[in-house]
Amino acid sequence: AQTVTQSQPEMSVQEAETVTLSCTYDTSESDYYLFWYKQPPSRQMILVIRQEAYKQQNATENRFSVNFQKAAKSFSLKISDSQLGDAAMYFCAYRSGGLFGNEKLTFGTGTRLTIIP
Amino acid sequence: DTEVTQTPKHLVMGMTNKKSLKCEQHMGHRAMYWYKQKAKKPPELMFVYSYEKLSINESVPSRFSPECPNSSLLNLHLHALQPEDSALYLCASSTWTGRGYRAVGEAFFGQGTRLTVV
């Protein structure tokens, strides 16, 4: 079974600064997808960024980028120019790229990010 | 439209009540999910429907009964719940088809139903 580990329960960063959230995962599969989701106090899970394991290039979405190290099974999220609206719980998630029966999205335990004005 | 709509947003029910949670999406997604989330914890998968057929049941107690009447609608019927079932219930959908196709899409989540069992 796949596992996802987020070793930082809480992080804080000054507004406009850069912060990196860590995520490691364990899998024996070669085909999979990784995601970062954000859950603000409003409760809705919002996709921040996705990475396909077969792509070597790190994904980027505006101020959000990842450092995907497949051999090390590491998938960290970098938030540049942090804004107050970035305050939320961030979950790293794994999904198998295999065939039927592998629709499960496995989440890490989350990192609560606080933005300091 | 990239929205997953869940109703109601809040629900308080007694242990002898029967209630239902509703989830709707119009993105043409053929996989739909129910997750349970306790405070300060990650979501835990309960059920997955693929092409309106139940494909995953994570050993959920029978007091939770899912239903997928059509490709846009997902229900969760609740009966004889316990106080420990109080949680945020999240619905999600994705383009994952589960019929020999690669998983191609991320899951889109609704805002959830905050359930309190008294």
Side-chain angles (χ1 to χ4, degrees):
Chain A
Q2 295 80 24
T3 59
V4 179
T5 301
Q6 292 179 250
S7 58
Q8 305 154 314
E10 295 183 357
M11 293 280 285
S12 60
V13 63
Q14 291 283 145
E15 194 176 1
E17 295 296 308
T18 296
V19 64
T20 298
L21 308 184
S22 300
C23 172
T24 59
Y25 58 95
D26 187 25
T27 183
S28 58
E29 300 175 326
S30 59
D31 185 14
Y32 52 89
Y33 297 78
L34 296 164
F35 306 92
W36 278 98
Y37 279 90
K38 164 185 174 181
Q39 188 176 36
S42 66
R43 312 181 315 206
Q44 185 158 17
M45 296 283 278
I46 302 166
L47 179 71
V48 175
I49 201 165
R50 61 176 278 178
Q51 175 79 44
E52 292 89 341
Y54 62 86
K55 290 187 178 178
Q56 291 187 328
Q57 187 173 4
N58 289 326
T60 299
E61 288 287 341
N62 301 313
R63 298 183 294 107
F64 299 88
S65 62
V66 298
N67 183 2
F68 174 48
Q69 301 289 327
K70 191 171 183 179
K73 296 180 182 174
S74 170
F75 183 61
S76 60
L77 174 69
K78 185 171 83 171
I79 306 174
S80 304
D81 185 26
S82 298
Q83 300 176 0
L84 294 177
D86 295 333
M89 181 72 89
Y90 285 80
F91 291 100
C92 179
Y94 172 102
R95 168 188 242 170
S96 171
L99 297 178
F100 183 76
N102 288 315
E103 302 94 328
K104 184 174 181 177
L105 194 62
T106 301
F107 289 90
T109 50
T111 297
R112 181 166 299 283
L113 179 65
T114 301
I115 311 297
I116 303 167
Chain B
D1 182 6
T2 58
E3 206 170 79
V4 176
T5 303
Q6 289 188 243
T7 54
K9 288 189 168 40
H10 300 273
L11 178 63
V12 179
M13 62 184 290
M15 289 189 284
T16 59
N17 292 159
K18 286 185 181 180
K19 297 286 184 183
S20 296
L21 309 184
K22 179 181 173 182
C23 174
E24 198 164 4
Q25 58 88 15
H26 297 286
M27 295 178 276
H29 292 171
R30 302 309 294 270
M32 296 186 75
Y33 311 75
W34 280 115
Y35 281 86
K36 173 183 177 180
Q37 186 178 25
K38 300 285 266 184
K40 299 183 181 181
K41 296 290 186 182
E44 297 176 7
L45 182 66
M46 299 175 72
F47 303 103
V48 180
Y49 273 82
S50 183
Y51 281 85
E52 297 87 70
K53 294 286 191 293
L54 184 64
S55 63
I56 295 179
N57 177 344
E58 292 285 279
S59 303
V60 178
S62 60
R63 57 185 183 269
F64 295 92
S65 176
E67 178 196 21
C68 190
N70 58 58
S71 60
S72 300
L73 190 58
L74 185 67
N75 298 320
L76 186 63
H77 303 297
L78 314 172
H79 173 56
L81 295 193
Q82 303 298 309
E84 59 265 29
D85 296 322
S86 298
L88 180 68
Y89 288 84
L90 293 166
C91 174
S93 70
S94 76
T95 54
W96 168 250
T97 65
R99 286 191 176 180
Y101 290 86
R102 294 162 58 90
V104 294
E106 60 271 19
F108 290 82
F109 284 82
Q111 284 198 307
T113 295
R114 176 76 64 191
L115 174 67
T116 303
V117 181
V118 297

